[in-house]
């Protein structure tokens, strides 16, 4: 059976204000800015910086007061929230991962930045680390 | 001025029991095992897995009951704890980072796995994300 997770894609950090956060991650630490997109359905703003080796830091800002990530911010403050791994196809992994003891929480792939698919695993099965999978748009 | 942080080196996950954690990260997720070392002074056990792109997942297990990471585990449970970035020289960065608004918490470089130097930044200045820097043994 192939390894379910190919490689780390990004590390998500929840922030209250993307522009303020960029003053730290881009300007102070010097991480190259890649892109920033509003995902209108969530709604959240996702901003990617290059952490080297093809891995991105993803800044996640919830854009409405009753977004679940605002409750997360109230409880935890800004900080590390999840890891996302690249797979060949999110749709395919959603079928095969449960057989490997990795339950997927989402019922259908989400639409991530740049048209990529993504899905979150059930955190009850991932030892306290929130895990997401993603794949390229053509892979579904 | 050069960017203070070159690239992501590893992501640290605090665990209660390394062997149990390996059943998940190595066996279920399929991340390649790299090495496991006990740092006797701390004391902690550090275990690295290959997350792709030269980035490691580092499992950190405290090895005595009164280690500060046991208090962290009591409060948070197992989970993401810090990000570590590669620099040319930890000793040199400890001199230059404060001038860039990044205070280093450690007074002297720590000894990390494989003889590498490391130091933790003052978390008050890093927006809720615990940050470490590391460099190769020859760089100090």
């Amino acid at each position: 059976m192939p390894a379910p997770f190919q490689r780390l894609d990004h590390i998500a950090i929840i922030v209250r204000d993307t522009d303020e956060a960029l003053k730290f991650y881009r300007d102070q630490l010097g991480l190259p800015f890649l892109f920033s997109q509003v995902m209108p359905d969530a709604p959240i703003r996702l901003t990617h910086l290059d952490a080297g080796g093809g891995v991105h830091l993803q800044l996640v800002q919830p854009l409405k007061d009753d977004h679940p990530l605002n409750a997360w911010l109230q409880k935890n403050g800004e900080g590390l929230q999840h890891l996302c791994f690249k797979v060949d196809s999110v749709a395919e992994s959603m079928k095969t991962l449960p057989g490997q003891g990795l339950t997927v929480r989402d019922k259908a792939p989400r639409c991530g930045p740049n048209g990529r698919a993504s899905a979150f695993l059930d955190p009850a099965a991932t030892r306290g680390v929130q895990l997401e999978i993603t794949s390229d748009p053509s892979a579904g």
Side-chain angles (χ1 to χ4, degrees), chain A:
Chain A
M1 187 166 14
F5 283 16
Q6 285 175 12
R7 51 160 291 147
L8 189 66
D9 183 84
H10 67 257
I11 301 154
I13 296 170
I14 312 302
V15 301
R16 289 196 175 84
D17 181 304
T18 302
D19 296 321
E20 285 300 314
L22 281 171
K23 290 180 190 169
F24 177 65
Y25 293 101
R26 179 192 58 199
D27 302 339
Q28 266 189 285
L29 300 189
L31 301 178
F33 173 90
L34 295 171
F35 62 81
S36 189
Q37 291 178 19
V38 170
M39 311 305 295
D41 291 341
I44 52 175
R45 180 174 170 191
L46 300 178
T47 302
H48 282 222
L49 299 120
D50 185 358
V55 174
H56 296 182
L57 281 199
Q58 178 187 65
L59 308 180
V60 184
Q61 178 190 349
L63 294 178
K64 62 174 187 175
D65 288 345
D66 61 350
H67 193 285
L69 287 177
N70 267 317
W72 193 94
L73 279 166
Q74 289 283 342
K75 183 180 172 199
N76 302 287
E78 293 190 332
L80 297 171
Q81 202 251 0
H82 71 256
L83 301 182
C84 180
F85 284 82
K86 185 91 185 315
V87 295
D88 281 329
S89 158
V90 168
E92 197 57 37
S93 288
M94 289 177 75
K95 294 179 203 157
T96 57
L97 287 178
Q100 296 169 272
L102 297 163
T103 312
V104 179
R105 194 184 61 189
D106 292 309
K107 300 290 181 215
R110 297 167 181 236
C111 184
N114 301 324
R116 295 173 89 192
S118 80
F120 281 90
L121 271 62
D122 182 343
T126 59
R127 299 187 72 88
V129 176
Q130 179 85 59
L131 293 179
E132 183 186 20
I133 53 174
T134 188
S135 60
D136 291 331
S138 56

